[in-house]
Amino acid sequence: SKDVADDILIVKNGFLSDISFANIVFTDGTRWVTPDTPLLRGTMRESLLQSGIIEEQRMTTESIALFTHFRIINAMLGFNAPLIPVKNIIF
């Protein structure tokens, strides 16, 4: 429900993929990681991977605890979207 959440984080076969309209990247304060099982390999995601700004990693819901923040990325948002604390992800 929109009253509880702004969007959904898609989990397919036990692995994180994307949110409904963008890719997602997580940070631990040192590095940026995106799930290696996206439903859509977005152009911004691919560009950030090729430039070495982000890296791919197999991620489960338990993996989220390894990170402090996330941001959503797509061609419109770029990599400057707000940082959101992972504690805001509700399961």
Side-chain angles (χ1 to χ4, degrees):
S1 149
K2 278 287 192 183
D3 296 337
V4 176
D6 293 328
D7 209 323
I8 60 167
L9 177 58
I10 300 166
V11 179
K12 184 176 180 182
N13 299 323
F15 299 107
L16 300 185
S17 61
D18 311 302
I19 68 167
S20 66
F21 67 93
N23 296 116
I24 189 166
V25 293
F26 295 88
T27 187
D28 58 9
T30 303
R31 63 192 182 112
W32 286 95
V33 175
T34 190
D36 68 352
T37 52
L39 296 177
L40 178 64
R41 296 186 182 278
T43 56
M44 179 57 59
R45 180 184 181 278
E46 290 300 310
S47 173
L48 293 169
L49 283 168
Q50 289 177 11
S51 65
I53 295 171
I54 66 173
E55 59 188 78
E56 287 183 307
Q57 178 177 307
R58 182 65 41 113
M59 296 185 72
T60 63
T61 54
E62 292 80 19
S63 303
I64 292 171
L66 301 172
F67 301 96
T68 58
H69 293 82
F70 71 95
R71 64 174 38 134
I72 54 175
I73 59 168
N74 65 23
M76 299 293 286
L77 296 170
F79 192 64
N80 295 319
L83 277 176
I84 305 167
V86 295
K87 66 182 173 107
N88 289 14
I89 297 175
I90 302 167
F91 289 100

